[in-house]
Amino acid sequence: MRLLKLVDWKLKGFYPYVPFLGNSLETQQELMGITDWLPAEVPGCVQHDLWKVGWIDDPYKDMNSLKCEWVENRWWMYRTCFSITAGPDESILLIFKGIDYKAHIYMNGHLLAAHEGMFEPVELSVDAGICQTVNELIVLFEHVPDEMGQIGYTSKTHTQKSRFNYKWDFSTRMVPIGLWDDVYIKVVKSVYWGEVRLTTSFDEQTGIINWHGTLKIAASASDLHFDKIAAFADVVHNGVSLGKWRGTLAESGSFNFHMAIPDILLWYPNGLGEQPLYHIKVSLYYDGELCDEWTGRTGFRSLKWIPNDASPEDALPYTLLINSSRMYIKGMNLTPLDMLYGTVTKERYEDIVLKLKKANINLVRVWGGGLIEKDIFYELCDEHGILIWQEFIQSSSGIDNIPSQQSEFIQLLERAAYSALICKRNHISLACWSGGNELRDEHGIPSTAKDNNIAMLKAMVHQLDPDRHFFPTSASGPNEFLSLDHLGKNYDVHGPWKYAGPVEQYRLYNYSDSLLHSEFGVDGLTSYASMQRFMNQSELKVQSMQENDIWRHHGEWWCTKDREDEMFGNINDLREFVIASQWTQAEGLRYGLEANRRRKYSNSGSIVWQFNEPFPNVSCTSVIDYYHQPKMAYYWVRKAFANQHLSLKYDQLIINSEAFFFPELYFHNSLEEGELNWKIECIGLQGESIHIQQGCHLVSSNTSTKIEELNWNASTFPMGIIVVRLSGSFIGKSYKVNDFYKNNSSKDKLYNLETNTYLFSTKPNHYFSDWLRAPSVELVWSHLKDSSSEEIEVFEVINMNRVPALYVVAAYMENGIEKIVISKQNYSVLFADEKIQFEVERRSFGSDAVDRSSIYFKTLHSLHCTLLGGELEIANKQAGEMV
């Protein structure tokens, strides 16, 4: 068996159907096409290749994407040449992992096949008679099909092509065409592996690996004797072989392995344990000669979906039971990483998954308007403990949301679903399947298996991946959208996606009775530094989407100007606008997550919309932007999803200074039982102490607990902003042992909780303007040389002023642009004379490593680095280190 990846490609454009004719009937001359042969990357897409050679301008900048919509309406030809040798008893296979979308495949002038569909690999057997010393492979793509964007008719969808490219609220219209995944030549002899199914189970410390592989017979094979076929499996963990097994050949022409592994380690989702993976290699032999190998990884864990606490009888099971313990879902919705998804590299996938992991995410929903992602994404989720909720490629369209029943579509959907099932089912991270996003019947009720489309998918999951749960759609209803007017029907719901205001936002989440909140969010602006990357300097001013076409092009649904003007007063500085918008997004999203978590296991979890964006937006509901730069909301979500977290329940952000204020303190605990020591501090913006309260409580494992009902006399509060900070420590008890929370130490374990800070206002309007325009505080920092990683720099930062420092971030200058450096301590609040250690990541995705001496610290309202210019040297002198 030999494998050759085809990488040396060229590309040429044509008007539709021209390549079918070749020469003009009138002149007999060659119809040359609209481009000459251009270099092409595979995996990739036509738009990216045209951009690289200058045929189109950067499609992500300003409104340039409008100028390249012509690309999708042309035909495009890929060409490569390769040499491969095959003996008389060998067969040549041509394998395409991703064809986007409709293509005709030729080798040495012979038509091998025509194919339609993005999500199923194509395997073609090449007749030895057409092979030459140097072979020419041509893939001719027709123009992209017309399809529904976000607004349209789901019942009229007719393709299995990603729909978000046809225009969604977080993307423009940019419809890729080309080879979006790898292309291989594989030379096989006699027999080779076909479909594989890998499952695991365990009983106490013994794990069982069941592997089933079907055989394919090479075209060159003749007079095949099945008694000469043998298969062997090796299992390796941490570089150590755990044994070798001989397979059993079934009458159906498949091999089965049943491998018992002693002393196994269990696989846990992120935050609850490690993710040990067992490597499996299954070798196939014919007459003693190696013919093919299959390699993969798996782990040992049990996973079930069970009913919520006090769940209605007709509700679906929404709570995850992992290794016999319940797990609260701390989730994110994932959009495709890029409009031109074929160009996404392994490094980019790694950065996304690591950012999910660092944000304490344990489940990601791969949304039905996007992709069945590339294999590398699922492999990374296996490694890092991110469970996957995988949707099939269907989504709502607004005008109607009824799953398509068109026979052409059903055939394409069945083929794509089949390919997804037999490939992704072998990943330990896969938690469930869903029929699609926001699908409904003609009455607007979320779809069920009574719909023929959904029934087909459910039957396929039951047949091909019977151990996985199937949700008919998300949201599964009966209410599709969270509604306080229809309490008792909010089982699995979506929405809202906007901040509802300083009162209504809190009423909504305080009274929600959702069993699972599988999609909701708050919008916020991207960073000023990111805006500078995709908009001209002339556009960098405070504007609304109604006032500016370029802003509208980069996020028309998500204008927050009126919201920020109400909260902060009239804003005229764009950097102020960014800070205000990101703060409101973070505050609104944080509260929704904490409120849901306070109802733990009555509510089984939250899945935030959305983690990322595939196109650079001025404003969007994402918590990281297109360039992978986290917004403020990313850091607040990370805190809200921490294993141990203090939160405050309240009715509104605006405190009536003539009344009493009754917040409630909660502790969220994902770990073992123990003793909580907590502290609440309230101060004014000038540093005046208003209230201090502390206490000690015993807390059970895996719970959310009301700790204290507070009663504060607001008449004693000063006019303006009130800063409330929660802090504490937790002593985990060593005697508490169960599947999730094993504390093998003979001593109790101390956890220092991250602080959680809230801002309230006693002002009647422009509630938070005082903070946004507060004077700078003096920060002093010094470098500490105690980091165990070359990628992490540790600094100690001190607030030298009496007033609180809101909010402290690590920053640096790059080409005259101020950027925030990634640190989990970003947006910390420091009271007078307090200090904190910042662990700063020197390297962020897409940027060179930041020099340590370039890093400085500032509060958010210190808008311009030039304001700090004279202070940088002074501050570091005081700290004993020169910049």
Side-chain angles (χ1 to χ4, degrees):
M1 185 269 294
R2 301 190 303 282
L3 202 64
L4 173 66
K5 182 178 176 180
L6 302 183
V7 293
D8 187 16
W9 292 86
K10 300 291 185 183
L11 176 71
K12 189 174 184 179
F14 296 89
Y15 286 98
Y17 299 101
V18 166
F20 282 170
L21 184 60
N23 293 336
S24 167
L25 292 175
E26 291 81 3
T27 67
Q28 305 305 309
Q29 293 179 334
E30 177 188 0
L31 297 169
M32 293 185 293
I34 58 176
T35 73
D36 203 347
W37 287 106
L38 308 171
E41 288 187 10
V42 173
C45 68
V46 170
Q47 285 90 337
H48 189 259
D49 295 326
L50 294 179
W51 174 19
K52 286 184 63 178
V53 298
W55 261 84
I56 60 175
D57 294 329
D58 180 353
Y60 299 96
K61 190 173 178 62
D62 292 332
M63 298 175 69
N64 288 346
S65 69
L66 297 177
K67 302 175 184 177
C68 66
E69 288 187 13
W70 64 271
V71 176
E72 66 194 58
N73 297 308
R74 305 294 186 267
W75 285 31
W76 297 94
M77 182 181 290
Y78 281 79
R79 183 181 72 183
T80 189
C81 295
F82 64 93
S83 297
I84 194 81
T85 58
D89 58 345
E90 293 180 316
S91 296
I92 297 175
L93 302 177
L94 179 58
I95 301 169
F96 296 87
K97 293 185 68 177
I99 290 177
D100 185 16
Y101 176 75
K102 187 172 183 179
H104 307 264
I105 303 165
Y106 301 85
M107 183 167 162
N108 297 330
H110 296 269
L111 177 64
L112 299 183
H115 173 79
E116 177 181 356
M118 276 183 62
F119 302 111
E120 52 184 311
V122 177
E123 179 182 294
L124 302 173
S125 181
V126 179
D127 190 325
I130 69 171
C131 292
Q132 301 174 4
T133 303
V134 177
N135 299 282
E136 181 187 59
L137 176 63
I138 285 178
V139 185
L140 174 63
F141 284 91
E142 297 185 17
H143 55 270
V144 304
D146 188 25
E147 189 49 282
M148 301 292 167
Q150 187 170 16
I151 308 302
Y153 301 84
T154 300
S155 62
K156 296 181 181 181
T157 54
H158 60 96
T159 71
Q160 274 291 279
K161 184 164 174 59
S162 293
R163 283 181 47 203
F164 82 101
N165 293 100
Y166 289 84
K167 180 65 181 88
W168 224 266
D169 59 82
F170 51 80
S171 62
T172 185
R173 180 184 175 108
M174 196 188 310
V175 190
I177 185 171
L179 296 166
W180 79 283
D181 211 337
D182 293 325
V183 182
Y184 291 96
I185 293 291
K186 184 175 182 179
V187 179
V188 296
K189 188 175 184 178
S190 303
V191 289
Y192 60 101
W193 291 124
E195 294 174 16
V196 168
R197 182 162 183 238
L198 174 66
T199 61
T200 61
S201 59
F202 64 91
D203 183 10
E204 295 184 349
Q205 294 300 111
T206 300
I208 303 298
I209 299 175
N210 289 297
W211 188 94
H212 175 87
T214 61
L215 291 178
K216 286 189 173 183
I217 300 174
S220 57
S222 59
D223 194 25
L224 195 67
H225 297 278
F226 279 86
D227 59 345
K228 295 183 179 182
I229 302 175
F232 299 90
D234 294 279
V235 179
V236 175
H237 178 59
N238 286 338
V240 177
S241 176
L242 303 181
K244 191 170 186 176
W245 287 262
R246 184 185 180 100
T248 303
L249 181 62
E251 291 184 2
S252 60
S254 60
F255 270 94
N256 297 306
F257 289 85
H258 184 80
M259 297 170 275
I261 310 296
D263 301 321
I264 60 166
L265 300 172
L266 294 185
W267 186 97
Y268 289 95
N270 180 36
L272 298 174
E274 301 300 319
Q275 294 80 42
L277 294 175
Y278 293 75
H279 296 244
I280 302 167
K281 180 172 71 174
V282 187
S283 303
L284 181 63
Y285 294 85
Y286 183 76
D287 199 17
E289 184 178 0
L290 180 65
C291 296
D292 200 4
E293 287 182 342
W294 181 93
T295 59
R297 300 181 301 179
T298 191
F300 295 96
R301 58 110 176 100
S302 65
L303 185 152
K304 296 180 181 178
W305 293 83
I306 62 173
N308 291 35
D309 288 349
S311 177
E313 290 186 3
D314 61 338
L316 297 174
Y318 296 117
T319 295
L320 270 169
L321 189 71
I322 304 284
N323 299 339
S324 301
S325 292
R326 290 190 293 183
M327 184 198 84
Y328 190 78
I329 293 172
K330 304 170 185 177
M332 278 286 177
N333 284 277
L334 190 81
T335 71
L337 275 59
D338 204 295
M339 298 291 295
L340 307 181
Y341 37 76
T343 66
V344 178
T345 61
K346 177 182 178 181
E347 291 71 25
R348 195 164 173 188
Y349 277 114
E350 287 176 334
D351 187 70
I352 285 290
V353 173
L354 285 173
K355 280 187 169 64
L356 287 166
K357 183 176 184 176
K358 292 174 183 177
N360 298 313
I361 305 304
N362 58 27
L363 181 143
V364 64
R365 173 174 168 245
V366 183
W367 168 72
L371 299 172
I372 306 292
E373 281 288 357
K374 293 183 180 181
D375 292 339
I376 182 61
F377 173 73
Y378 302 87
E379 293 167 4
L380 288 166
C381 288
D382 291 341
E383 290 178 18
H384 295 290
I386 311 297
L387 292 170
I388 296 174
W389 173 314
Q390 178 65 61
E391 295 196 333
F392 295 110
I393 304 303
Q394 299 193 101
S395 182
S396 59
S397 303
I399 299 176
D400 88 36
N401 306 288
I402 302 169
S404 176
Q405 309 296 326
Q406 297 183 53
S407 58
E408 175 190 6
F409 175 80
I410 292 295
Q411 291 174 17
L412 289 168
L413 176 63
E414 183 178 18
R415 283 164 39 195
Y418 180 85
S419 296
L421 280 159
I422 63 172
C423 177
K424 310 310 180 191
R425 66 186 178 185
N426 295 327
H427 288 280
I428 196 68
S429 56
L430 182 63
C432 65
W433 297 93
S434 169
N437 173 66
E438 295 178 357
L439 304 173
R440 297 172 236 167
D441 64 18
E442 64 274 17
H443 305 294
I445 305 300
S447 297
T448 69
K450 293 180 180 179
D451 182 284
N452 291 335
N453 174 312
I454 302 301
M456 177 194 74
L457 294 172
K458 182 178 180 180
M460 292 181 70
V461 171
H462 181 72
Q463 176 188 0
L464 297 172
D465 196 13
D467 297 329
R468 296 274 177 15
H469 187 69
F470 175 79
F471 289 102
T473 186
S474 175
S476 54
N479 289 345
E480 180 174 25
F481 303 116
L482 176 61
S483 171
L484 299 188
D485 294 331
H486 301 90
L487 294 174
K489 298 296 182 181
N490 296 305
Y491 296 180
D492 168 27
V493 291
H494 284 188
W497 296 268
K498 301 285 287 186
Y499 183 73
V503 176
E504 186 59 28
Q505 180 78 3
Y506 307 93
R507 187 181 80 89
L508 178 68
Y509 287 98
N510 284 341
Y511 288 97
S512 169
D513 63 348
S514 66
L515 302 183
L516 173 66
H517 210 160
S518 60
E519 184 181 318
F520 68 101
V522 179
D523 49 344
L525 291 176
T526 194
S527 70
Y528 185 82
S530 290
M531 288 186 195
Q532 290 176 297
R533 298 180 67 170
F534 65 87
M535 290 195 299
N536 286 320
Q537 189 68 30
S538 61
E539 311 301 331
L540 299 178
K541 55 188 176 182
V542 176
Q543 301 176 82
S544 70
M545 303 300 179
Q546 290 76 19
E547 294 170 322
N548 186 281
D549 293 338
I550 293 178
W551 277 50
R552 187 183 311 172
H553 188 67
H554 290 265
E556 61 176 297
W557 287 28
W558 307 114
C559 187
T560 71
K561 187 174 186 305
D562 291 343
R563 180 185 82 186
E564 268 52 82
D565 283 347
E566 176 191 358
M567 297 282 281
F568 294 89
N570 187 37
I571 298 177
N572 297 310
D573 186 290
L574 181 54
R575 279 164 284 201
E576 281 190 357
F577 189 15
V578 168
I579 292 167
S581 181
Q582 288 202 4
W583 183 88
T584 308
Q585 179 189 25
E587 160 64 25
L589 196 52
R590 185 252 312 261
Y591 196 83
L593 297 178
E594 291 177 342
N596 285 343
R597 198 173 176 186
R598 284 191 276 271
R599 301 185 293 111
K600 188 173 183 176
Y601 298 131
S602 293
N603 169 273
S604 60
S606 300
I607 310 179
V608 175
W609 185 269
Q610 65 205 81
F611 187 63
N612 61 308
E613 60 182 13
F615 183 72
N617 288 288
V618 172
S619 183
C620 183
T621 50
S622 68
V623 301
I624 68 170
D625 67 24
Y626 173 74
Y627 305 104
H628 293 210
Q629 298 306 300
K631 300 180 184 178
M632 191 176 186
Y634 172 87
Y635 294 95
W636 286 25
V637 167
R638 186 188 70 80
K639 281 191 178 184
F641 278 157
N643 275 336
Q644 293 162 320
H645 177 68
L646 285 164
S647 77
L648 207 62
K649 179 181 179 181
Y650 44 92
D651 293 328
Q652 57 188 46
L653 285 184
I654 314 308
I655 299 175
N656 183 349
S657 60
E658 298 179 355
F660 281 81
F661 185 46
F662 302 99
E664 297 173 358
L665 178 68
Y666 279 76
F667 181 60
H668 312 283
N669 181 28
S670 297
L671 301 179
E672 67 267 27
E673 68 179 25
E675 181 180 287
L676 169 69
N677 291 279
W678 57 270
K679 183 178 182 181
I680 299 176
E681 300 166 274
C682 305
I683 70 169
L685 205 58
Q686 300 305 313
E688 63 273 36
S689 178
I690 299 171
H691 180 81
I692 297 178
Q693 190 172 349
Q694 52 193 346
C696 178
H697 282 75
L698 294 177
V699 179
S700 300
S701 66
N702 200 10
T703 55
S704 286
T705 306
K706 183 193 288 187
I707 299 298
E708 193 82 9
E709 294 185 359
L710 307 170
N711 185 349
W712 296 344
N713 185 355
S715 65
T716 64
F717 292 2
M719 181 61 66
I721 289 175
I722 310 299
V723 183
V724 178
R725 189 176 68 179
L726 314 181
S727 60
S729 62
F730 182 78
I731 301 173
K733 297 303 182 181
S734 60
Y735 56 80
K736 177 62 182 178
V737 178
N738 63 29
D739 284 334
F740 270 179
Y741 318 110
K742 292 184 178 179
N743 186 342
N744 296 319
S745 171
S746 60
K747 298 181 180 179
D748 295 345
K749 187 172 183 180
L750 174 65
Y751 303 90
N752 288 313
L753 308 183
E754 289 189 72
T755 60
N756 194 18
T757 304
Y758 300 85
L759 294 191
F760 297 94
S761 176
T762 58
K763 293 179 64 176
N765 53 49
H766 299 166
Y767 319 112
F768 299 102
S769 57
D770 293 350
W771 160 59
L772 192 61
R773 298 168 182 89
S776 300
V777 299
E778 183 182 0
L779 300 175
V780 173
W781 58 93
S782 58
H783 179 250
L784 302 180
K785 300 179 180 179
D786 62 351
S787 173
S788 59
S789 170
E790 293 182 358
E791 297 298 316
I792 301 292
E793 297 287 351
V794 181
F795 295 84
E796 184 175 81
V797 183
I798 305 174
N799 177 14
M800 302 296 291
N801 295 76
R802 179 173 177 268
V803 301
L806 305 173
Y807 295 85
V808 181
V809 295
Y812 76 107
M813 295 293 291
E814 182 180 76
N815 298 323
I817 299 173
E818 184 181 62
K819 296 184 176 182
I820 293 178
V821 194
I822 294 175
S823 169
K824 65 182 181 181
Q825 286 79 28
N826 275 344
Y827 304 101
S828 294
V829 174
L830 293 181
F831 289 175
D833 299 322
E834 285 187 339
K835 60 185 177 182
I836 187 175
Q837 287 190 9
F838 266 75
E839 298 173 6
V840 178
E841 298 183 19
R842 292 182 59 238
R843 190 180 301 276
S844 60
F845 180 79
S847 299
D848 294 332
V850 181
D851 185 86
R852 172 170 58 82
S853 63
S854 301
I855 297 171
Y856 56 91
F857 296 85
K858 55 173 281 185
T859 58
L860 282 188
H861 50 74
S862 301
L863 293 178
H864 310 282
C865 184
T866 53
L867 294 177
L868 296 174
E871 299 173 13
L872 288 177
E873 184 173 319
I874 295 172
N876 282 277
K877 279 181 179 177
Q878 291 174 338
E881 177 174 331
M882 286 289 293
V883 171

